[in-house]
Amino acid sequence: MTDVLGWRKLLGVIAPSTNTVVQPDMERMRPPGVTNHLSRIHVEDPVALSNEDFIAGTTAIAENTLDAVRSVMTCRPDYLVLGMSAVTFYGGVDGSRRFKARIEAEAGVGATTGSEAVAAALTAVGAKAVSFVSPYYPVANAEVRRFLEESGFAVRRDRALQCRRWTDIAKVTPETLREVIAQLDGDDVDAIVQVGTNLSMVDLAAEYEGTLGKPVIAINTATYWHALRACGVSDRLRGLGRLLSEF
């Protein structure tokens, strides 16, 4: 017997408790027969005033992730989608792999992290040189840069928006992001990446792929796409960018 609604796959989606973007984003990407089951990582919404504050906040997310994993596993999902990003980049490629291994060992099922999904997406679209934007502080952008460079991509430019609260990330407007994209684009990059799962950029990324003629990778799109493909779900979805419609 199979789940009546999730007759193809049950996906456990893990996100910080302050995150208001992952859940609606990933619901939009859900094909028929696949259901999402959100589990929240308890975290406070502190004010970040420095690199040190930001690292402390993301460390708290990492420390509480396993509790959220244990909770969602009670509904017996087939696979986990990790809807948080900063900590998945820490420590470069080896650090990312260690983090994922901890999650999978606890869950007993496979998982997709934001960092590996971004790397897989860039590989799929054939990107070599990239720029990226995040809501992070510079210390975390340095970790993203390290991961991307260790994964074989040249990073030309990056922007850290330095959002002071986790909930402020979801308040960054499309107008602000349009200005950032203009700064990140150039003839020396063949893809633009957005990280930070509470930063809403799925629709904007899809729009700019059309206007710029190059891949614009939103991390929530990349993460859900990677999870679907890892589960053998190959549906092509229109209107949400090239990853879901072509790969």
Side-chain angles (χ1 to χ4, degrees), residues 75-213:
C75 77
R76 299 187 179 182
D78 300 295
Y79 196 82
L80 297 184
V81 187
L82 302 188
M84 77 284 219
S85 63
V87 297
T88 71
F89 290 97
Y90 290 179
V93 171
D94 285 345
S96 176
R97 288 172 178 165
R98 288 194 300 271
F99 183 79
K100 175 177 176 172
R102 287 179 58 209
I103 301 302
E104 292 184 333
E106 181 65 38
V109 298
T112 284
T113 65
S115 56
E116 70 170 335
V118 166
L122 290 172
T123 299
V125 300
K128 301 296 183 183
V130 306
S131 59
F132 72 90
V133 58
S134 85
Y136 309 154
Y137 273 66
V139 65
N141 267 33
E143 293 292 330
V144 177
R145 176 183 286 268
R146 174 185 173 184
F147 174 88
L148 290 173
E149 290 177 344
E150 288 183 3
S151 299
F153 306 102
V155 179
R156 304 302 188 200
R157 286 176 292 284
D158 68 276
R159 276 288 307 276
L161 299 180
Q162 300 188 49
C163 295
R164 297 183 67 185
R165 291 183 179 273
W166 299 140
T167 51
D168 286 346
I169 297 171
K171 300 172 185 175
V172 176
T173 65
E175 290 72 27
T176 295
L177 291 171
R178 289 182 190 280
E179 294 175 3
V180 172
I181 292 170
Q183 296 165 6
L184 294 177
D185 190 29
D187 293 339
D188 58 342
V189 300
D190 43 39
I192 297 171
V193 175
Q194 169 260 319
V195 300
T197 62
N198 207 27
L199 189 61
S200 180
M201 202 167 136
V202 168
D203 289 330
L204 204 60
E207 174 191 332
Y208 270 89
E209 284 190 328
T211 59
L212 297 180

Side-chain angles (χ1 to χ4, degrees), residues 3-10 30-35 78 233 235:
D3 189 279
V4 172
L5 297 181
W7 47 270
R8 296 171 78 185
K9 292 294 175 182
L10 304 180
R30 183 174 59 82
V34 176
T35 53
D78 300 295
V233 178
D235 299 44

